[in-house]
């Protein structure tokens, strides 16, 4: 399609005959003013297809929504079909697409987290009261887990997250115009360097350290991917390095698993330990560029990383690797590695069929090493202290350290650095100050929404990779949500299933339809156990990615372990 609205276009039937001319191309026309507005935001130079989502963010941030005229103008500027831009804009929850004739949303949006930890803390009542109390100029919406489960319930006023939110606190923030993110105080570049930071990276870049030595250390440490998959980190690096270059790196900072907030914890406090680990990994695999994919729910961290990455680059520590910080747009599915790569490329976050695997054919078709934030956070300590320091930790026959995100009915929720293999009972008693007053331990999620639910009678199972699968559960990202005798496990499972229904990318029928049908069936007073079990089996066996494959775990757990709640 021509980008000009003035050039005459010939039309007629291909068999011949007289051609008439038309003044515009077919389809929605682009307005000169809209193109000028888009150019002012994205710049006058050549556009990049992989930056489509970043461009959409610029428009959304500037105008509060994505109008049809701006989408058409952006498509023209990027020389894309308007359908390509539209399908991406409508895929992500944080983009408000407004069609011609529709009313744009209010200038301010308040979101109330309805994740499982926030629901336990009264989020539904908070949401209902805010809807009733807010005026016409404020939109109040429910939203999935915001990664702040330890201070539930959470409300987001604009981009300002309020911990332990109340109606009064939210309305006060609205009235005072406190809509900007709160940027946490962190260990900045100067403080990190003063504490010995980047000495290891400098040694790598200068040739004092050898690649093979670092690979050996990582392999012997036993460090595994801490985003949930648990693939050995050293082996992953070696595999990617074995493919012909050019190679790339992708960092998953899109923790969206309900109950998970460990990456936020570390990025807000000590971002350079992660950055150094990332650059060391990029050096090992000789990555040309590292893409950091950060969830949009962490705007304060985005500001931290922008500032601190600039300091690292100015000090010459990027080496041969460039770093690009990318912003998610509200899609849990993009925590899946191939969906994240699709999103970094500026597309909908649809998981890929495999093989080929990301290590061989990843970003832009290149070999790509994909790591989680916490995995990279450990690299410096493991290399400096030795692999035995890390491998020597652990309980109950397990190895290593784990960062457990603990929330729910415990007295002291938060990120708990504990030996891998610790049990839920030990975690509650030794690290969380026991249960909240008046609550008795009933059950727990050992690995977030996907990881299934176990009863308190099984609180002695070591929490680690490979220890929970026999019970139909898994550790995942180590998000432990604790329930009490005051919680209905049917309601818990329904909350989790609704999350999967809302976050399904819709690509495959078993997940798209299965989660919807299961959520509807679970609203009935009496569950159809046979049908729910069949749905779960179909989703597990036929879904493309882990979302659909794990969506039935909470249902199966309630059927198996909590018959008294049925």
């Amino acid at each position: 399609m021509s980008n000009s609205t003035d050039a005459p276009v010939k039309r007629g039937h291909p068999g011949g005959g007289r051609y008439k001319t038309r003044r515009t191309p077919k389809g929605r026309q682009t307005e000169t003013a809209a193109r000028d507005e888009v150019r002012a935001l994205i710049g006058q130079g050549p556009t990049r297809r992989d930056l489509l989502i970043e461009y959409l963010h610029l428009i959304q941030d500037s105008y509060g929504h994505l109008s049809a005229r701006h989408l058409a103008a952006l498509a023209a500027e990027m020389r894309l079909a308007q359908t390509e831009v539209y399908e991406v804009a409508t895929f992500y929850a944080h983009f408000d697409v407004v069609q011609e004739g529709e009313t744009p949303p209010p200038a301010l949006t308040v979101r109330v987290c309805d994740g499982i930890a926030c629901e336990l803390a009264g989020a539904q009542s908070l949401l209902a009261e805010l809807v009733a109390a807010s005026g016409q100029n404020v939109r109040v919406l429910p939203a999935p887990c915001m990664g702040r489960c330890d201070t539930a319930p959470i409300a987001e006023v604009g981009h300002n997250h309020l911990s332990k939110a109340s109606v009064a606190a939210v309305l006060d923030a609205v009235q005072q115009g406190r809509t900007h993110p709160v940027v946490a105080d962190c260990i900045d570049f100067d403080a990190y360097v003063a504490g010995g930071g980047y000495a290891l990276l400098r040694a790598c870049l200068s040739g004092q350290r050898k690649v093979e030595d670092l690979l050996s250390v990582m392999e012997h440490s036993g460090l595994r991917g801490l985003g949930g998959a648990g693939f050995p980190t050293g082996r992953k690096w070696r595999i990617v390095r074995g493919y012909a270059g050019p190679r790339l790196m992708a960092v998953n900072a899109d923790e969206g698993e309900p109950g998970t907030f460990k990456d936020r914890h570390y990025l807000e406090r000590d971002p350079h330990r992660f950055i150094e680990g990332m650059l060391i990994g990029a050096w090992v695999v000789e990555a040309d560029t590292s893409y950091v994919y950060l969830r949009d729910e962490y705007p304060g961290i985005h500001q931290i990383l922008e500032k601190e990455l600039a300091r690292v680059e100015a000090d010459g520590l990027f080496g041969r690797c460039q770093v690009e910080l990318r912003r998610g747009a509200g899609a849990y599915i993009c925590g899946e590695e191939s969906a994240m790569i699709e999103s970094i490329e500026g597309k909908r976050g649809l998981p890929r069929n495999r093989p080929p695997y990301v290590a061989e054919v990843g970003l832009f078709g290149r070999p790509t090493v994909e790591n989680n934030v916490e995995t990279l956070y450990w690299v410096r300590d493991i290399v400096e202290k030795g692999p035995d320091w890390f491998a020597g930790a652990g309980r109950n026959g397990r190895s290593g350290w784990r960062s457990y995100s603990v929330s729910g009915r415990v007295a002291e929720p938060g990120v708990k650095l504990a030996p891998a293999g610790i049990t839920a009972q030990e975690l509650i008693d030794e690290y969380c100050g026991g249960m909240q007053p008046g609550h008795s331990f009933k059950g727990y999620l050992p690995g977030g929404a996907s990881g299934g639910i176990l009863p308190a009678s099984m609180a002695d199972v070591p929490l680690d990779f490979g220890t929970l699968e026999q019970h139909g559960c898994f550790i995942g990202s180590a998000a432990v949500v604790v329930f009490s005798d005051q919680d209905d496990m049917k309601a818990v499972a329904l909350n989790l299933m609704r999350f999967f229904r809302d976050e399904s990318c819709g690509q495959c029928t078993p997940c798209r339809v299965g989660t919807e049908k299961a959520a509807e069936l679970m609203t009935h007073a009496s569950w159809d156990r046979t049908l729910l079990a069949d749905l779960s089996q179909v989703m597990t066996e036929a879904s493309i990615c882990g979302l659909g494959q794990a969506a039935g775990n909470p249902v199966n757990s309630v059927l198996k372990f909590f018959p008294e709640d049925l």
Side-chain angles (χ1 to χ4, degrees):
M1 179 186 295
S2 169
N3 289 332
S4 172
T5 60
D6 299 319
V9 179
K10 292 182 178 179
R11 63 177 180 174
H13 61 83
R18 176 177 294 183
Y19 278 83
K20 297 181 180 179
T21 60
R22 55 183 296 151
R23 302 299 300 174
T24 61
K26 292 182 179 179
R28 187 190 303 276
Q29 306 308 303
T30 58
E31 300 175 13
T32 301
R35 293 189 67 166
D36 289 342
E37 290 163 356
V38 168
R39 287 194 196 104
L41 292 172
I42 70 175
Q44 299 286 342
T47 58
R48 285 170 49 184
R49 175 64 177 83
D50 62 297
L51 291 178
L52 173 56
I53 294 173
E54 295 294 311
Y55 298 152
L56 291 171
H57 273 303
L58 291 173
I59 300 171
Q60 172 91 21
D61 290 346
S62 181
Y63 293 94
H65 64 278
L66 300 174
S67 65
R69 59 192 291 272
H70 282 141
L71 291 178
L74 180 60
E77 288 297 307
M78 298 186 71
R79 297 183 179 275
L80 294 174
Q82 292 183 29
T83 53
E84 291 183 78
V85 175
Y86 181 81
E87 72 177 6
V88 172
T90 54
F91 181 84
Y92 296 93
H94 290 183
F95 292 140
D96 291 309
V97 177
V98 178
Q99 302 287 1
E100 289 182 354
E102 293 182 346
T103 302
L108 180 62
T109 296
V110 173
R111 291 182 169 87
V112 177
C113 177
D114 64 2
I116 186 60
C118 286
E119 183 159 303
L120 296 179
Q124 293 301 328
S125 296
L126 175 63
L127 176 64
E129 292 180 42
L130 284 173
V131 169
S134 299
Q136 294 182 348
N137 295 326
V138 178
R139 177 177 59 165
V140 180
L141 300 173
C145 184
M146 298 180 185
R148 293 168 171 81
C149 316
D150 52 333
T151 56
I154 300 297
E156 184 186 25
V157 180
H159 293 296
N160 178 21
H161 290 88
L162 302 180
S163 297
K164 298 184 178 179
S166 65
V167 174
V170 172
L171 294 179
D172 182 65
V174 170
Q175 292 168 0
Q176 298 297 323
R178 289 186 280 109
T179 61
H180 298 293
V182 176
V183 181
D185 291 331
C186 68
I187 300 173
D188 64 10
F189 179 80
D190 292 333
Y192 184 73
V193 171
Y198 291 114
L200 175 58
L201 177 60
R202 294 181 196 275
C204 293
L205 296 176
S206 67
Q208 297 175 46
R209 292 276 190 167
K210 303 301 180 185
V211 168
E212 184 56 40
D213 293 339
L214 259 72
L215 283 171
S216 178
V217 168
M218 296 303 295
E219 289 171 337
H220 283 87
S221 72
L223 178 67
R224 300 172 68 169
L226 299 177
F231 193 87
T233 303
R235 187 171 12 145
K236 179 183 287 188
W237 289 4
R238 190 180 293 279
I239 289 171
V240 173
R241 184 176 169 83
Y243 289 114
R247 308 178 195 93
L248 299 171
M249 185 176 209
V251 178
N252 189 341
D254 191 53
E255 58 175 2
E257 182 74 16
T260 307
F261 47 93
K262 61 186 178 61
D263 291 349
R264 175 187 60 80
H265 173 88
Y266 289 125
L267 289 173
E268 286 182 339
R269 289 160 175 76
D270 196 0
H272 286 281
R273 196 170 297 269
F274 149 71
I275 294 171
E276 183 169 13
M278 173 186 69
L279 292 172
I280 289 171
W283 172 78
V284 168
V285 303
E286 297 181 351
D288 293 339
T289 307
S290 181
Y291 295 83
V292 181
Y293 189 86
L294 179 69
R295 69 182 311 209
D296 199 32
E297 288 83 352
Y298 293 167
I301 294 175
H302 193 280
Q303 292 186 27
I304 290 173
L305 290 180
E306 276 190 322
K307 176 184 176 183
E308 300 303 325
L309 284 169
R311 291 292 307 276
V312 177
E313 182 179 23
D315 208 54
L317 291 171
F318 279 6
R320 59 170 288 179
C321 181
Q322 297 301 308
V323 179
E324 292 199 23
L325 179 60
R326 294 296 181 85
R327 181 178 166 189
Y332 165 73
I333 192 63
C334 291
E336 196 275 340
E337 64 174 3
S338 66
M340 179 185 70
I341 282 174
E342 290 286 300
S343 189
I344 292 173
E345 292 180 356
K347 306 171 187 174
R348 294 174 295 167
L350 302 180
R352 298 176 179 177
N353 286 307
R354 287 165 287 187
Y357 294 95
V358 166
E360 181 181 7
V361 183
L363 267 169
F364 311 112
R366 299 181 180 183
T368 302
V369 61
E370 187 273 340
N371 284 130
N372 165 261
V373 167
E374 190 199 353
T375 305
L376 297 172
Y377 183 89
W378 285 112
V379 170
R380 175 190 165 190
D381 282 337
I382 288 173
V383 176
E384 289 184 345
K385 297 178 181 180
D388 292 340
W389 164 80
F390 186 85
R395 286 190 188 179
N396 301 307
R398 313 307 296 178
S399 176
W401 294 98
R402 288 301 301 264
S403 300
Y404 296 92
S405 305
V406 188
S407 62
R409 302 301 191 181
V410 294
E412 301 171 10
V415 174
K416 311 297 179 180
L417 180 59
I422 194 172
T423 68
Q425 192 66 63
E426 292 169 338
L427 197 60
I428 293 169
D429 294 341
E430 298 177 31
Y431 290 83
C432 300
M435 297 290 291
Q436 293 176 359
H439 291 265
S440 299
F441 185 24
K442 180 177 182 177
Y444 63 105
L445 302 180
S450 303
I453 314 172
L454 290 177
S457 62
M458 298 178 65
D460 59 347
V461 179
L463 298 175
D464 197 16
F465 297 113
T467 61
L468 298 160
E469 283 76 1
Q470 61 181 313
H471 306 298
C473 300
F474 54 80
I475 187 65
S477 58
V480 180
V481 184
V482 179
F483 306 109
S484 78
D485 56 337
Q486 298 184 27
D487 299 319
D488 177 2
M489 304 314 290
K490 284 177 63 178
V492 169
L494 177 58
N495 174 282
L496 303 179
M497 185 59 72
R498 284 172 171 163
F499 170 79
F500 292 128
R501 176 200 64 192
D502 294 343
E503 295 297 328
S504 173
C505 74
Q507 181 179 194
C508 66
T509 302
C511 176
R512 181 184 68 250
V513 177
T515 54
E516 180 182 358
K517 296 299 182 184
E520 194 278 328
L521 286 170
M522 292 165 68
T523 63
H524 298 175
S526 178
W527 280 9
D528 187 331
R529 303 186 187 192
T530 301
L531 184 53
L532 281 170
D534 287 346
L535 272 174
S536 177
Q537 181 177 359
V538 170
M539 288 190 289
T540 299
E541 295 180 358
S543 296
I544 290 175
C545 79
L547 190 155
Q549 294 164 7
N553 285 346
V555 176
N556 295 335
S557 296
V558 172
L559 293 174
K560 183 176 181 181
F561 298 120
F562 300 94
E564 69 278 7
D565 282 15
L566 294 174

